[in-house]
Amino acid sequence: GTAVAPVKNETRTPITSVSIKVRSDVKADYDLDAATVYVTTDSNLYTIGAYTWVSGNKEYWEPGDVPKVQIEIHARSGCYFEKTTGAGKFQISGATYGSVKRQNNNETLLLTVKLTPASGTLDYEFRGVGRLSAGKRHLGRGSLRRSV
């Protein structure tokens, strides 16, 4: 019988794990686009691209929210991401693995992480005030009672 030819011979260098550091300044009274996320890596096999908030239609953070960010990670020329799925393949400092999608012939990863907010920033004295409805501008930390 004839031997089955292997699927297209992979000549690119496989990347089998990803290590990044994530820093952010999310606070509960920030507008979504006011918070900044800094993502860095020491690897020379891939680079960090853009990030987007995965927020589901919110205008600003509220206490108790777990901010999620999707980060693009690009394999360097001649490299590709091999089987980089599952939390075990990712070392993430400053955030927690959420999920990952591979694109672009496995040369781009879309990694969703959950940020670990700095202690207390998403939990100051908002208790008892109730959630502000989205759509209203955020009124900061002062009293929500309207002066007559």
Side-chain angles (χ1 to χ4, degrees), residues 27-125:
K27 295 185 175 52
D29 55 353
Y30 272 29
D31 284 348
L32 283 190
D33 50 6
T36 312
V37 179
Y38 308 92
V39 186
T40 54
T41 181
D42 295 329
S43 174
N44 51 13
L45 296 177
Y46 47 86
T47 58
I48 308 297
Y51 70 88
T52 47
W53 293 104
V54 183
S55 65
N57 245 350
K58 292 191 146 196
E59 286 189 16
Y60 49 83
W61 301 117
E62 299 175 64
D65 283 347
V66 177
K68 284 201 263 189
V69 180
Q70 187 178 73
I71 302 160
E72 290 175 15
I73 304 175
H74 301 287
R76 285 215 186 265
S77 178
C79 301
Y80 75 107
F81 294 104
E82 182 188 62
K83 301 190 180 73
T84 41
T85 48
K89 303 285 185 174
F90 292 87
Q91 264 194 304
I92 305 168
S93 154
T96 315
Y97 174 87
S99 61
V100 72
K101 286 185 225 160
R102 287 186 291 177
Q103 286 189 339
N104 191 20
N105 198 13
N106 291 338
E107 289 176 13
T108 302
L109 290 183
L110 297 180
L111 172 66
T112 300
V113 299
K114 298 175 204 146
L115 300 183
T116 354
S119 61
T121 47
L122 282 187
D123 187 32
Y124 53 66
E125 274 39 84

